[in-house]
Amino acid sequence: MSVSVFQTKEVQDLLKAASNLDAGNGNARFQQIVHRLLGDLFKAIDDLDITPDEVWAGVNYLNKLGQDGEAALLAAGLGLEKYLDIRMDAEDKAVGLDGGTPRTIEGPLYVAGAPVRDSVSRIDVNPDPDAGPLIIHGTVTGVDGKPVADAIVECWHANSKGFYSHFDPTGAQTEFNLRGAVKTGADGRYEFRTLMPVGYGCPPHGATQQLLNVLGRHGNRPAHVHFFVTSDNARKLTTQFNIEGDPLIWDDFAYATREELIPHVVEKTGGTALGLKADTYKDIEFNFTLTPLVQGKDNQIVQRLRASAAA
Ligand code: MBD
Ligand code: FE
């Protein structure tokens, strides 16, 4: 039977007590957020007549999500991470900041600590017979078009199975395989010599895929390469590009695709002379345009728990 109790004094008092709102101790910001989120949940239970069975299924799902270590993966799959990008885009627009390379989500698979090389880094350490050679290169500039020296370009991507080193369930990759960092010189140029990635799929028996299955959604991403680009006098850029032609480009379970982030893939020869594993290789030019600090501050630095390792 559908009842409506949310607006009663008893429930409103319960919400205030549970979040310890206006108590004078505890963290006021945290109390405000918990009060609101808990209230939104209580209201949804009322409005949608969510049953006790459904509530307990949800509570136990949270346990499974934590056991699987997939909360950040689910955040990407439910569009929460994309939503934060939409908000940062709107903030940039509101202060008239444009002309930079578009941001897109970081995702949960970055590992801090990759060795930094000057201008060029070869990052395919482990053999991967199913992946062909790929060179990714370009220039880091400011919105004025001038090259940025001493920028750090970090890159990470999956292997031919869609697995990332450090998170690879097969154990086939050593630390920092397909992960690297390059420092630009005066010309602003960077280059990664690597292998062509394949799109990621959520762990098939994990909590994220379990939820997506009930929604009737898949948990796959098109092939893509992640970047952080940092420099002393510009805002940190978090972005990715997709590999042109991947059938999932406009069907990414994490909603990271953007029109400006699909560079052309060009086939070239001469790889042997460059030390690549085949003479014919794929080449992607991708240039980064960094945006200036906002009132002297980098408002694009996002604090979140990240894996790290020693190189
Ligand atoms: C990925 O490789 C990724 O980039 C995101 C956003 C989520 C899961 C895996
Ligand atoms: Fe990824």
Side-chain angles (χ1 to χ4, degrees):
M1 196 186 57
S2 189
V3 296
S4 184
V5 300
F6 181 70
Q7 294 298 350
T8 62
K9 182 169 186 307
E10 183 184 12
V11 170
Q12 292 303 311
D13 287 347
L14 176 62
L15 272 175
K16 285 195 185 112
S19 56
N20 208 22
L21 200 68
D22 303 328
N25 67 319
N27 181 308
R29 173 68 174 163
F30 194 65
Q31 290 163 347
Q32 175 190 38
I33 293 171
V34 168
H35 180 257
R36 173 59 184 266
L37 291 180
L38 195 60
D40 286 354
L41 174 62
F42 283 17
K43 188 164 191 314
I45 291 171
D46 233 14
D47 291 350
L48 304 179
D49 209 8
I50 298 175
T51 67
D53 296 16
E54 289 169 333
V55 169
W56 293 117
V59 168
N60 290 321
Y61 177 79
L62 293 180
N63 273 335
K64 158 99 172 139
L65 184 65
Q67 273 161 13
D68 294 350
E70 289 192 1
L73 182 61
L74 184 68
L78 288 180
L80 178 60
E81 199 171 359
K82 170 68 180 178
Y83 183 64
L84 299 177
D85 275 356
I86 293 171
R87 284 184 44 82
M88 284 191 278
D89 284 354
E91 283 167 13
D92 285 358
K93 198 164 173 230
V95 297
L97 249 185
D98 57 18
T101 302
R103 63 167 61 79
T104 198
I105 67 170
E106 172 180 334
L109 303 178
Y110 172 76
V111 179
V116 183
R117 315 269 185 235
D118 285 330
S119 298
V120 182
S121 185
R122 175 152 187 183
I123 61 172
D124 60 308
V125 178
N126 305 133
D128 188 348
D130 296 334
L134 168 67
I135 292 188
I136 302 165
H137 64 100
T139 304
V140 182
T141 64
V143 282
D144 58 5
K146 292 197 181 121
V148 178
D150 297 331
I152 304 285
V153 180
E154 290 177 88
C155 153
W156 68 102
H157 67 80
N159 67 4
S160 71
K161 307 286 174 284
F163 294 135
Y164 286 74
S165 63
H166 195 85
F167 304 98
D168 186 337
T170 71
Q173 301 182 65
T174 53
E175 213 64 272
F176 294 111
N177 188 44
L178 310 182
R179 300 176 183 273
V182 151
K183 187 179 192 172
T184 59
D187 58 4
R189 296 189 59 77
Y190 80 92
E191 180 171 318
F192 292 104
R193 298 185 186 161
T194 187
L195 299 175
M196 187 57 89
V198 162
Y200 169 94
C202 289
H205 303 294
T208 302
Q209 191 58 56
Q210 182 188 349
L211 180 145
L212 293 171
N213 286 345
V214 183
L215 293 176
R217 291 180 50 196
H218 70 71
N220 302 312
R221 302 207 58 211
H224 61 277
V225 177
H226 297 261
F227 299 95
F228 284 154
V229 188
T230 47
S231 156
D232 282 348
N233 295 308
R235 298 192 300 166
K236 175 179 175 179
L237 172 66
T238 300
T239 196
Q240 312 175 23
F241 63 63
N242 286 338
I243 303 298
E244 186 184 45
D246 191 300
L248 287 181
I249 278 198
W250 293 107
D251 191 14
D252 175 8
F253 100 103
Y255 309 103
T257 305
R258 303 184 74 151
E259 203 73 68
E260 308 90 329
L261 303 178
I262 313 171
H264 290 309
V265 179
V266 180
E267 193 163 285
K268 291 197 174 176
T269 54
T272 313
L274 295 170
L276 306 185
K277 72 176 189 180
D279 197 59
T280 303
Y281 66 96
K282 301 282 201 276
D283 180 281
I284 294 175
E285 179 178 6
F286 194 67
N287 300 314
F288 298 107
T289 307
L290 302 183
T291 48
L293 302 175
V294 176
Q295 285 157 357
K297 269 197 64 184
D298 186 346
N299 63 352
Q300 288 194 134
I301 300 275
V302 174
Q303 304 293 345
R304 61 185 280 180
L305 191 63
R306 295 182 174 95
S308 67

